Amino acid sequence: MAYHHGNLRAALVEAATALLEDGGPLGVTLRGAARRAGVSQTAPYRHFPDKGALLAAVAEQGFRRLGAAMARAARGHGADPVGALEAMAIALVHFADRHGAHYRLMSGPAVRGRDHPALREAALAAWGLLTTTVTACQRAGRIRAGDPAAFAFVLWSLVHGLSTLLVDEQIPPIVRQTWLPAELAKKATQVLLEGLAGKRSARPGRAVAPTLSPRSPRRRRARRP
Amino acid sequence: MAYHHGNLRAALVEAATALLEDGGPLGVTLRGAARRAGVSQTAPYRHFPDKGALLAAVAEQGFRRLGAAMARAARGHGADPVGALEAMAIALVHFADRHGAHYRLMSGPAVRGRDHPALREAALAAWGLLTTTVTACQRAGRIRAGDPAAFAFVLWSLVHGLSTLLVDEQIPPIVRQTWLPAELAKKATQVLLEGLAGKRSARPGRAVAPTLSPRSPRRRRARRP
DNA sequence: CAGGATATGTTGACACAGTCAACTTCTGGA
DNA sequence: TCCAGAAGTTGACTGTGTCAACATATCCTG
Protein backbone atom coordinates (compact mmCIF):
# COMPACT_ATOMS: atom_id res chain seq x y z
CA MET A 1 0.00 0.00 0.00
CA ALA A 2 1.33 3.38 -0.91
CA TYR A 3 1.98 4.60 2.57
CA HIS A 4 2.26 8.04 1.35
CA HIS A 5 -1.38 7.29 1.82
CA GLY A 6 -2.32 7.70 -1.81
CA ASN A 7 -4.28 10.90 -1.58
CA LEU A 8 -4.42 12.39 1.85
CA ARG A 9 -6.05 15.55 0.68
CA ALA A 10 -9.27 13.89 -0.32
CA ALA A 11 -9.22 11.75 2.80
CA LEU A 12 -8.87 14.84 4.95
CA VAL A 13 -11.74 16.57 3.24
CA GLU A 14 -13.87 13.52 3.77
CA ALA A 15 -12.79 13.19 7.39
CA ALA A 16 -13.52 16.84 8.05
CA THR A 17 -16.92 16.46 6.43
CA ALA A 18 -17.69 13.53 8.66
CA LEU A 19 -16.61 15.44 11.73
CA LEU A 20 -18.79 18.30 10.61
CA GLU A 21 -21.89 16.22 10.06
CA ASP A 22 -21.80 14.69 13.48
CA GLY A 23 -20.35 17.13 15.93
CA GLY A 24 -21.30 20.41 14.34
CA PRO A 25 -18.98 23.23 13.36
CA LEU A 26 -17.16 23.01 16.67
CA GLY A 27 -16.55 19.33 16.18
CA VAL A 28 -14.36 19.79 13.17
CA THR A 29 -10.75 20.12 14.11
CA LEU A 30 -7.55 19.86 12.19
CA ARG A 31 -6.07 17.33 14.54
CA GLY A 32 -9.29 15.38 14.60
CA ALA A 33 -9.40 15.15 10.84
CA ALA A 34 -5.80 14.02 10.82
CA ARG A 35 -6.52 11.39 13.46
CA ARG A 36 -9.50 10.19 11.50
CA ALA A 37 -7.42 9.92 8.38
CA GLY A 38 -4.83 7.96 10.28
CA VAL A 39 -1.99 10.42 9.95
CA SER A 40 -0.10 12.62 12.32
CA GLN A 41 -1.37 15.93 13.57
CA THR A 42 0.64 18.11 11.28
CA ALA A 43 0.32 16.05 8.15
CA PRO A 44 -2.57 18.22 6.90
CA TYR A 45 -0.17 21.12 6.56
CA ARG A 46 1.36 19.39 3.56
CA HIS A 47 -1.97 19.87 1.78
CA PHE A 48 -3.58 22.91 3.33
CA PRO A 49 -1.86 26.06 4.49
CA ASP A 50 -4.14 26.26 7.51
CA LYS A 51 -7.40 25.09 8.96
CA GLY A 52 -9.39 27.63 7.00
CA ALA A 53 -8.19 26.13 3.77
CA LEU A 54 -9.42 22.71 4.79
CA LEU A 55 -12.79 24.15 5.70
CA ALA A 56 -12.89 25.99 2.41
CA ALA A 57 -12.28 22.74 0.58
CA VAL A 58 -15.11 21.13 2.48
CA ALA A 59 -17.37 24.06 1.68
CA GLU A 60 -16.37 23.94 -1.96
CA GLN A 61 -17.32 20.29 -2.16
CA GLY A 62 -20.61 21.20 -0.55
CA PHE A 63 -21.37 23.80 -3.18
CA ARG A 64 -20.56 21.31 -5.87
CA ARG A 65 -23.00 18.84 -4.40
CA LEU A 66 -25.61 21.52 -3.92
CA GLY A 67 -25.25 22.58 -7.52
CA ALA A 68 -25.61 19.00 -8.65
CA ALA A 69 -28.71 18.53 -6.54
CA MET A 70 -30.26 21.67 -7.93
CA ALA A 71 -29.45 20.72 -11.49
CA ARG A 72 -30.90 17.28 -10.90
CA ALA A 73 -34.06 18.80 -9.51
CA ALA A 74 -34.39 21.13 -12.45
CA ARG A 75 -34.12 18.31 -14.93
CA GLY A 76 -37.50 16.82 -15.66
CA HIS A 77 -38.98 20.29 -15.76
CA GLY A 78 -37.38 20.97 -19.06
CA ALA A 79 -40.43 22.54 -20.62
CA ASP A 80 -41.53 24.37 -17.50
CA PRO A 81 -38.96 26.87 -16.22
CA VAL A 82 -41.21 27.96 -13.39
CA GLY A 83 -41.47 24.40 -12.20
CA ALA A 84 -37.72 24.09 -12.50
CA LEU A 85 -37.23 27.18 -10.38
CA GLU A 86 -39.50 25.83 -7.71
CA ALA A 87 -37.79 22.48 -7.78
CA MET A 88 -34.40 24.09 -7.41
CA ALA A 89 -35.57 26.15 -4.48
CA ILE A 90 -36.95 23.09 -2.79
CA ALA A 91 -33.76 21.19 -3.51
CA LEU A 92 -31.69 23.89 -1.88
CA VAL A 93 -33.81 23.96 1.24
CA HIS A 94 -33.75 20.18 1.33
CA PHE A 95 -29.99 20.16 1.08
CA ALA A 96 -29.73 22.61 3.93
CA ASP A 97 -32.16 20.62 6.01
CA ARG A 98 -30.07 17.51 5.77
CA HIS A 99 -26.37 18.51 5.94
CA GLY A 100 -27.19 21.39 8.25
CA ALA A 101 -23.69 21.94 9.52
CA HIS A 102 -22.32 21.62 6.03
CA TYR A 103 -24.65 24.28 4.73
CA ARG A 104 -23.77 26.56 7.59
CA LEU A 105 -20.13 26.16 6.80
CA MET A 106 -20.72 26.87 3.13
CA SER A 107 -22.58 30.08 3.75
CA GLY A 108 -20.62 31.15 6.77
CA PRO A 109 -17.49 33.16 7.26
CA ALA A 110 -15.26 30.10 7.07
CA VAL A 111 -13.37 31.58 4.22
CA ARG A 112 -13.96 35.02 2.93
CA GLY A 113 -13.97 35.73 -0.72
CA ARG A 114 -10.81 35.82 -2.65
CA ASP A 115 -8.95 33.54 -0.30
CA HIS A 116 -10.20 30.45 -2.05
CA PRO A 117 -11.15 31.02 -5.67
CA ALA A 118 -12.39 27.49 -6.18
CA LEU A 119 -14.96 28.03 -3.47
CA ARG A 120 -16.17 31.23 -5.03
CA GLU A 121 -16.39 29.55 -8.37
CA ALA A 122 -18.43 26.64 -7.09
CA ALA A 123 -20.80 28.99 -5.31
CA LEU A 124 -21.23 31.16 -8.36
CA ALA A 125 -21.95 28.09 -10.45
CA ALA A 126 -24.87 27.15 -8.25
CA TRP A 127 -26.05 30.70 -8.30
CA GLY A 128 -25.70 30.79 -12.07
CA LEU A 129 -28.17 27.96 -12.40
CA LEU A 130 -30.80 30.14 -10.82
CA THR A 131 -30.05 33.07 -13.07
CA THR A 132 -30.28 30.96 -16.16
CA THR A 133 -33.62 29.57 -15.15
CA VAL A 134 -34.91 33.03 -14.34
CA THR A 135 -34.03 34.07 -17.84
CA ALA A 136 -35.92 31.08 -19.16
CA CYS A 137 -38.93 32.14 -17.12
CA GLN A 138 -38.73 35.57 -18.62
CA ARG A 139 -38.64 34.13 -22.12
CA ALA A 140 -41.69 32.08 -21.19
CA GLY A 141 -43.45 35.24 -20.08
CA ARG A 142 -43.70 34.08 -16.49
CA ILE A 143 -41.39 36.70 -15.06
CA ARG A 144 -41.52 40.32 -16.04
CA ALA A 145 -38.70 42.00 -17.92
CA GLY A 146 -35.75 43.16 -15.87
CA ASP A 147 -32.28 42.18 -14.84
CA PRO A 148 -32.38 38.40 -14.35
CA ALA A 149 -29.42 38.57 -12.00
CA ALA A 150 -31.38 40.84 -9.71
CA PHE A 151 -34.44 38.64 -9.78
CA ALA A 152 -32.38 35.56 -9.19
CA PHE A 153 -30.69 37.28 -6.32
CA VAL A 154 -33.99 38.05 -4.65
CA LEU A 155 -35.03 34.44 -5.01
CA TRP A 156 -31.66 33.30 -3.75
CA SER A 157 -31.97 35.55 -0.74
CA LEU A 158 -35.38 34.17 0.07
CA VAL A 159 -34.40 30.55 -0.19
CA HIS A 160 -31.10 31.08 1.54
CA GLY A 161 -32.78 32.90 4.38
CA LEU A 162 -35.28 30.13 4.76
CA SER A 163 -32.53 27.56 4.79
CA THR A 164 -30.50 29.49 7.30
CA LEU A 165 -33.41 29.89 9.66
CA LEU A 166 -34.12 26.22 9.29
CA VAL A 167 -30.57 25.16 10.01
CA ASP A 168 -30.24 27.48 12.97
CA GLU A 169 -33.57 26.34 14.34
CA GLN A 170 -34.86 29.86 14.37
CA ILE A 171 -38.15 29.23 12.67
CA PRO A 172 -40.90 30.51 14.94
CA PRO A 173 -42.74 27.64 16.60
CA ILE A 174 -46.06 28.57 15.08
CA VAL A 175 -44.64 28.27 11.62
CA ARG A 176 -42.53 25.22 12.29
CA GLN A 177 -45.39 23.23 13.69
CA THR A 178 -47.56 23.91 10.71
CA TRP A 179 -45.46 23.39 7.65
CA LEU A 180 -42.69 21.11 6.55
CA PRO A 181 -39.53 22.69 5.16
CA ALA A 182 -40.30 21.64 1.62
CA GLU A 183 -43.75 23.16 1.85
CA LEU A 184 -42.32 26.38 3.15
CA ALA A 185 -39.85 26.46 0.31
CA LYS A 186 -42.49 25.82 -2.28
CA LYS A 187 -44.98 28.32 -0.96
CA ALA A 188 -42.42 31.02 -0.38
CA THR A 189 -41.13 30.57 -3.90
CA GLN A 190 -44.61 30.74 -5.33
CA VAL A 191 -45.37 33.94 -3.49
CA LEU A 192 -42.20 35.48 -4.77
CA LEU A 193 -42.88 34.28 -8.29
CA GLU A 194 -46.24 35.96 -8.18
CA GLY A 195 -44.50 39.16 -7.25
CA LEU A 196 -42.03 38.67 -10.05
CA ALA A 197 -44.64 37.78 -12.61
CA GLY A 198 -46.11 40.44 -14.83
CA LYS A 199 -46.76 44.06 -14.42
CA ARG A 200 -50.11 44.66 -12.90
CA SER A 201 -52.18 47.56 -11.73
CA ALA A 202 -51.16 48.54 -8.27
CA ARG A 203 -53.80 48.98 -5.66
CA PRO A 204 -55.19 52.43 -5.14
CA GLY A 205 -53.08 54.69 -3.02
CA ARG A 206 -49.57 54.43 -4.33
CA ALA A 207 -48.01 52.56 -7.13
CA VAL A 208 -45.91 49.60 -6.13
CA ALA A 209 -44.14 48.72 -9.30
CA PRO A 210 -40.54 47.84 -8.57
CA THR A 211 -38.78 47.25 -11.81
CA LEU A 212 -35.53 46.15 -10.27
CA SER A 213 -33.61 48.01 -12.88
CA PRO A 214 -30.58 49.90 -11.73
CA ARG A 215 -30.72 53.64 -11.70
CA SER A 216 -27.09 53.88 -12.61
CA PRO A 217 -24.24 51.46 -12.19
CA ARG A 218 -22.37 52.00 -8.98
CA ARG A 219 -18.95 51.11 -7.80
CA ARG A 220 -18.61 48.75 -4.92
CA ARG A 221 -19.22 50.23 -1.52
CA ALA A 222 -16.36 51.03 0.75
CA ARG A 223 -15.76 48.35 3.33
CA ARG A 224 -13.82 48.39 6.48
CA PRO A 225 -10.36 47.02 5.60
CA MET B 1 -14.06 52.22 43.99
CA ALA B 2 -16.12 49.14 44.53
CA TYR B 3 -13.54 46.62 43.56
CA HIS B 4 -16.14 44.07 43.31
CA HIS B 5 -16.27 46.06 40.12
CA GLY B 6 -19.87 47.18 40.47
CA ASN B 7 -21.41 45.16 37.69
CA LEU B 8 -19.01 42.92 35.91
CA ARG B 9 -21.69 41.17 33.94
CA ALA B 10 -22.61 44.23 31.92
CA ALA B 11 -18.96 45.12 31.48
CA LEU B 12 -18.24 41.66 30.12
CA VAL B 13 -21.09 41.83 27.66
CA GLU B 14 -19.84 45.18 26.48
CA ALA B 15 -16.26 43.94 26.25
CA ALA B 16 -17.31 40.88 24.30
CA THR B 17 -19.34 43.05 21.97
CA ALA B 18 -16.34 45.26 21.36
CA LEU B 19 -14.15 42.25 20.68
CA LEU B 20 -16.77 40.98 18.30
CA GLU B 21 -17.09 44.20 16.34
CA ASP B 22 -13.40 44.45 15.67
CA GLY B 23 -11.92 41.00 15.40
CA GLY B 24 -14.87 39.04 14.14
CA PRO B 25 -16.39 35.97 15.72
CA LEU B 26 -12.98 34.42 16.24
CA GLY B 27 -11.76 37.50 18.02
CA VAL B 28 -14.14 37.16 20.90
CA THR B 29 -12.68 35.13 23.68
CA LEU B 30 -13.58 34.65 27.29
CA ARG B 31 -10.13 35.49 28.49
CA GLY B 32 -9.97 38.48 26.19
CA ALA B 33 -13.25 39.85 27.48
CA ALA B 34 -12.03 39.39 31.03
CA ARG B 35 -8.77 41.15 30.21
CA ARG B 36 -10.65 43.97 28.60
CA ALA B 37 -12.87 44.31 31.64
CA GLY B 38 -9.80 44.39 33.83
CA VAL B 39 -10.49 41.23 35.77
CA SER B 40 -8.87 37.85 35.95
CA GLN B 41 -9.40 35.13 33.42
CA THR B 42 -11.89 33.13 35.40
CA ALA B 43 -13.90 35.96 36.81
CA PRO B 44 -16.52 35.61 34.06
CA TYR B 45 -17.46 32.24 35.48
CA ARG B 46 -19.08 34.02 38.39
CA HIS B 47 -21.58 35.47 35.94
CA PHE B 48 -21.80 33.05 33.05
CA PRO B 49 -21.68 29.27 33.24
CA ASP B 50 -19.58 29.11 30.08
CA LYS B 51 -18.54 31.01 27.00
CA GLY B 52 -21.73 30.19 25.18
CA ALA B 53 -23.73 31.97 27.83
CA LEU B 54 -21.71 35.12 27.37
CA LEU B 55 -22.23 34.96 23.64
CA ALA B 56 -25.91 34.39 24.16
CA ALA B 57 -26.08 37.50 26.30
CA VAL B 58 -24.35 39.46 23.58
CA ALA B 59 -26.75 38.09 21.01
CA GLU B 60 -29.71 38.86 23.19
CA GLN B 61 -28.63 42.45 23.51
CA GLY B 62 -28.28 42.53 19.74
CA PHE B 63 -31.82 41.37 19.21
CA ARG B 64 -33.02 43.98 21.61
CA ARG B 65 -31.25 46.68 19.66
CA LEU B 66 -32.48 45.28 16.38
CA GLY B 67 -36.03 45.29 17.64
CA ALA B 68 -35.65 48.86 18.78
CA ALA B 69 -34.26 49.89 15.41
CA MET B 70 -37.11 48.22 13.58
CA ALA B 71 -39.70 49.78 15.84
CA ARG B 72 -38.09 53.16 15.37
CA ALA B 73 -38.15 52.71 11.61
CA ALA B 74 -41.79 51.72 11.66
CA ARG B 75 -42.78 54.78 13.60
CA GLY B 76 -43.54 57.65 11.29
CA HIS B 77 -45.35 55.30 8.96
CA GLY B 78 -48.24 55.04 11.35
CA ALA B 79 -50.91 55.38 8.72
CA ASP B 80 -49.10 53.32 6.11
CA PRO B 81 -48.42 49.74 7.20
CA VAL B 82 -46.83 48.86 3.88
CA GLY B 83 -44.40 51.70 4.30
CA ALA B 84 -43.74 50.53 7.82
CA LEU B 85 -43.01 47.03 6.61
CA GLU B 86 -40.56 48.34 4.05
CA ALA B 87 -38.91 50.54 6.59
CA MET B 88 -38.51 47.66 9.00
CA ALA B 89 -37.00 45.49 6.32
CA ILE B 90 -34.54 48.20 5.42
CA ALA B 91 -33.74 48.74 9.08
CA LEU B 92 -32.94 45.10 9.54
CA VAL B 93 -30.65 44.99 6.55
CA HIS B 94 -29.04 48.18 7.67
CA PHE B 95 -28.45 46.76 11.12
CA ALA B 96 -26.85 43.67 9.63
CA ASP B 97 -24.71 45.77 7.32
CA ARG B 98 -23.19 47.66 10.20
CA HIS B 99 -22.68 45.25 13.15
CA GLY B 100 -21.97 42.41 10.73
CA ALA B 101 -20.31 40.14 13.24
CA HIS B 102 -22.98 40.89 15.78
CA TYR B 103 -25.71 39.92 13.38
CA ARG B 104 -23.91 36.74 12.46
CA LEU B 105 -23.67 35.84 16.11
CA MET B 106 -27.33 36.56 16.66
CA SER B 107 -28.48 34.37 13.83
CA GLY B 108 -25.82 31.76 14.21
CA PRO B 109 -25.49 28.59 16.19
CA ALA B 110 -23.93 30.41 19.12
CA VAL B 111 -26.66 29.25 21.36
CA ARG B 112 -29.33 26.91 20.28
CA GLY B 113 -32.88 27.43 21.33
CA ARG B 114 -33.95 26.53 24.75
CA ASP B 115 -30.56 27.05 26.30
CA HIS B 116 -31.11 30.73 26.75
CA PRO B 117 -34.79 31.71 27.01
CA ALA B 118 -34.08 35.43 27.16
CA LEU B 119 -32.41 35.21 23.77
CA ARG B 120 -35.35 33.39 22.28
CA GLU B 121 -37.69 35.92 23.75
CA ALA B 122 -35.82 38.89 22.36
CA ALA B 123 -35.71 37.28 18.93
CA LEU B 124 -39.39 36.50 18.97
CA ALA B 125 -40.16 40.05 19.99
CA ALA B 126 -38.44 41.41 16.89
CA TRP B 127 -40.20 38.84 14.79
CA GLY B 128 -43.50 39.73 16.40
CA LEU B 129 -43.17 43.29 15.15
CA LEU B 130 -43.22 42.00 11.61
CA THR B 131 -46.25 39.82 12.18
CA THR B 132 -48.20 42.67 13.70
CA THR B 133 -47.44 44.92 10.78
CA VAL B 134 -48.41 42.22 8.31
CA THR B 135 -51.76 41.99 10.02
CA ALA B 136 -52.12 45.73 9.68
CA CYS B 137 -51.38 45.44 5.98
CA GLN B 138 -54.07 42.84 5.67
CA ARG B 139 -56.56 45.09 7.38
CA ALA B 140 -55.57 47.82 4.96
CA GLY B 141 -56.23 45.49 2.06
CA ARG B 142 -52.62 45.51 0.94
CA ILE B 143 -51.92 41.88 1.71
CA ARG B 144 -54.31 39.09 0.89
CA ALA B 145 -56.06 37.05 3.53
CA GLY B 146 -54.08 34.25 5.12
CA ASP B 147 -52.01 33.38 8.13
CA PRO B 148 -50.06 36.54 8.98
CA ALA B 149 -47.40 34.51 10.73
CA ALA B 150 -46.73 32.64 7.53
CA PHE B 151 -46.55 35.80 5.47
CA ALA B 152 -44.32 37.46 8.03
CA PHE B 153 -42.12 34.43 7.99
CA VAL B 154 -41.64 34.62 4.25
CA LEU B 155 -40.74 38.26 4.53
CA TRP B 156 -38.41 37.51 7.42
CA SER B 157 -36.72 34.80 5.40
CA LEU B 158 -36.18 37.13 2.51
CA VAL B 159 -34.73 39.94 4.56
CA HIS B 160 -32.70 37.64 6.73
CA GLY B 161 -31.29 35.88 3.69
CA LEU B 162 -30.36 39.18 2.15
CA SER B 163 -28.69 40.29 5.37
CA THR B 164 -26.82 37.04 5.70
CA LEU B 165 -25.50 37.20 2.17
CA LEU B 166 -24.50 40.77 2.77
CA VAL B 167 -22.65 40.03 5.98
CA ASP B 168 -20.91 36.99 4.55
CA GLU B 169 -19.96 38.93 1.46
CA GLN B 170 -21.64 36.41 -0.75
CA ILE B 171 -23.60 38.79 -2.89
CA PRO B 172 -22.68 38.13 -6.51
CA PRO B 173 -20.44 40.85 -7.88
CA ILE B 174 -22.88 41.84 -10.58
CA VAL B 175 -25.52 42.58 -8.02
CA ARG B 176 -23.25 44.14 -5.46
CA GLN B 177 -21.80 46.59 -7.92
CA THR B 178 -25.19 47.77 -9.03
CA TRP B 179 -27.26 48.27 -5.92
CA LEU B 180 -26.70 49.44 -2.41
CA PRO B 181 -27.89 47.24 0.42
CA ALA B 182 -30.77 49.49 1.30
CA GLU B 183 -31.92 49.51 -2.29
CA LEU B 184 -31.78 45.75 -2.43
CA ALA B 185 -33.80 45.53 0.75
CA LYS B 186 -36.41 47.94 -0.51
CA LYS B 187 -36.78 46.39 -3.91
CA ALA B 188 -36.82 42.84 -2.65
CA THR B 189 -39.49 43.76 -0.14
CA GLN B 190 -41.54 45.45 -2.78
CA VAL B 191 -41.38 42.43 -5.05
CA LEU B 192 -42.48 40.20 -2.23
CA LEU B 193 -45.26 42.56 -1.26
CA GLU B 194 -46.56 42.43 -4.77
CA GLY B 195 -46.67 38.69 -4.51
CA LEU B 196 -48.42 38.94 -1.19
CA ALA B 197 -50.91 41.52 -2.37
CA GLY B 198 -54.22 40.43 -3.74
CA LYS B 199 -55.46 37.36 -5.51
CA ARG B 200 -55.09 37.68 -9.20
CA SER B 201 -55.63 35.61 -12.29
CA ALA B 202 -52.73 33.33 -12.87
CA ARG B 203 -51.13 33.21 -16.25
CA PRO B 204 -52.27 30.53 -18.64
CA GLY B 205 -50.72 27.18 -18.11
CA ARG B 206 -51.08 26.37 -14.48
CA ALA B 207 -52.56 28.22 -11.61
CA VAL B 208 -50.09 29.75 -9.24
CA ALA B 209 -52.20 30.73 -6.31
CA PRO B 210 -50.46 29.91 -3.09
CA THR B 211 -52.76 30.62 -0.23
CA LEU B 212 -50.25 29.82 2.46
CA SER B 213 -52.92 28.22 4.55
CA PRO B 214 -52.00 25.00 6.27
CA ARG B 215 -53.46 21.78 5.01
CA SER B 216 -53.58 20.45 8.50
CA PRO B 217 -51.62 21.25 11.61
CA ARG B 218 -48.56 19.10 11.96
CA ARG B 219 -46.34 18.14 14.81
CA ARG B 220 -42.78 19.17 14.79
CA ARG B 221 -40.48 17.15 12.66
CA ALA B 222 -38.13 14.66 14.16
CA ARG B 223 -34.63 15.97 14.60
CA ARG B 224 -31.40 14.25 15.30
CA PRO B 225 -30.96 14.38 19.06
C1' DC C 1 20.50 1.41 -12.30
C1' DA C 2 22.26 5.17 -8.96
C1' DG C 3 21.41 9.20 -6.48
C1' DG C 4 19.91 13.40 -5.21
C1' DA C 5 15.80 16.79 -5.40
C1' DT C 6 11.33 17.04 -3.89
C1' DA C 7 7.05 15.85 -2.06
C1' DT C 8 5.07 13.80 1.90
C1' DG C 9 4.85 12.62 7.03
C1' DT C 10 6.51 12.66 11.87
C1' DT C 11 8.23 14.52 16.43
C1' DG C 12 8.57 18.02 19.66
C1' DA C 13 7.43 22.34 21.16
C1' DC C 14 4.99 26.93 21.91
C1' DA C 15 1.18 30.03 22.82
C1' DC C 16 -3.42 30.42 23.70
C1' DA C 17 -8.08 28.89 24.62
C1' DG C 18 -11.93 26.95 27.84
C1' DT C 19 -12.59 25.21 32.15
C1' DC C 20 -12.10 23.31 36.94
C1' DA C 21 -10.51 23.24 41.95
C1' DA C 22 -8.84 25.58 45.77
C1' DC C 23 -7.99 29.81 47.87
C1' DT C 24 -8.76 34.85 49.18
C1' DT C 25 -11.42 38.99 49.85
C1' DC C 26 -15.35 41.68 50.12
C1' DT C 27 -20.23 42.67 51.73
C1' DG C 28 -24.80 42.39 53.61
C1' DG C 29 -27.69 40.88 57.13
C1' DA C 30 -28.64 38.00 62.02
C1' DT D 1 -20.13 42.23 65.68
C1' DC D 2 -19.27 38.53 62.94
C1' DC D 3 -19.91 35.17 59.69
C1' DA D 4 -22.13 32.99 55.41
C1' DG D 5 -22.15 33.54 50.87
C1' DA D 6 -21.07 36.31 46.79
C1' DA D 7 -17.29 37.96 43.91
C1' DG D 8 -12.68 37.51 42.29
C1' DT D 9 -7.83 35.32 41.96
C1' DT D 10 -4.20 31.77 41.32
C1' DG D 11 -2.65 27.63 39.39
C1' DA D 12 -3.28 23.82 36.72
C1' DC D 13 -5.13 20.54 33.06
C1' DT D 14 -6.48 19.35 28.42
C1' DG D 15 -7.00 20.36 23.66
C1' DT D 16 -6.18 23.27 19.69
C1' DG D 17 -3.63 25.70 15.67
C1' DT D 18 0.77 26.27 14.12
C1' DC D 19 5.90 26.28 13.49
C1' DA D 20 10.68 24.29 13.10
C1' DA D 21 13.50 20.47 12.52
C1' DC D 22 13.84 16.01 11.17
C1' DA D 23 12.76 11.51 8.53
C1' DT D 24 11.27 8.90 4.52
C1' DA D 25 9.26 7.72 0.26
C1' DT D 26 8.96 8.89 -4.86
C1' DC D 27 10.44 10.39 -9.17
C1' DC D 28 13.29 12.20 -12.60
C1' DT D 29 17.79 12.63 -14.61
C1' DG D 30 22.49 10.90 -15.63
Side-chain angles (χ1 to χ4, degrees), chain B residues 99-170:
Chain B
H99 322 116
H102 209 150
Y103 188 80
R104 186 148 44 208
L105 173 68
M106 288 160 54
S107 50
V111 176
R112 197 74 107 284
R114 209 171 293 281
D115 298 325
H116 197 101
L119 208 201
R120 211 30 146 224
E121 187 188 349
L124 281 180
W127 146 269
L129 286 178
L130 266 194
T131 307
T132 309
T133 311
V134 164
T135 304
C137 286
Q138 289 178 311
R139 264 200 290 271
R142 301 294 297 270
I143 288 185
R144 78 166 79 110
D147 184 351
F151 291 151
F153 173 70
V154 175
L155 180 57
W156 182 275
S157 290
L158 176 62
V159 180
H160 174 62
L162 174 50
S163 298
T164 300
L165 293 175
L166 189 65
V167 168
D168 291 330
E169 299 181 13
Q170 285 195 334

Side-chain angles (χ1 to χ4, degrees), chain A residues 57-216:
Chain A
V58 173
E60 174 197 340
Q61 177 207 245
F63 270 115
R64 239 182 277 283
R65 289 182 184 172
L66 172 59
M70 287 170 64
R72 202 179 318 125
R75 258 192 300 279
H77 293 265
D80 175 19
V82 172
L85 219 48
E86 281 178 19
M88 287 166 71
I90 293 176
L92 193 150
V93 172
H94 187 246
F95 180 92
D97 191 27
R98 309 164 46 127
H99 323 113
H102 207 149
Y103 188 79
R104 186 148 42 209
L105 173 67
M106 288 160 54
S107 51
V111 176
R112 200 74 107 283
R114 208 171 295 279
D115 300 324
H116 198 102
L119 207 201
R120 212 29 147 224
E121 187 189 349
L124 280 180
W127 146 269
L129 286 178
L130 266 194
T131 306
T132 309
T133 311
V134 164
T135 304
C137 286
Q138 289 179 313
R139 263 199 292 271
R142 301 294 298 272
I143 287 185
R144 79 166 78 109
D147 184 349
F151 291 151
F153 173 69
V154 175
L155 180 57
W156 181 274
S157 290
L158 176 63
V159 180
H160 174 61
L162 174 51
S163 299
T164 299
L165 292 176
L166 190 66
V167 168
D168 290 332
E169 300 181 13
Q170 286 196 333
I171 297 188
I174 321 98
V175 176
R176 184 171 9 110
Q177 287 161 13
T178 314
W179 289 283
L180 294 177
E183 292 174 327
L184 284 174
K186 180 164 189 174
K187 294 182 184 237
T189 306
Q190 287 177 343
V191 168
L192 190 65
L193 277 172
E194 256 195 276
L196 287 176
K199 318 183 187 299
R200 47 197 285 271
S201 56
R203 308 215 26 131
R206 47 205 275 286
V208 177
T211 341
L212 266 187
S213 58
R215 301 159 190 241
S216 65

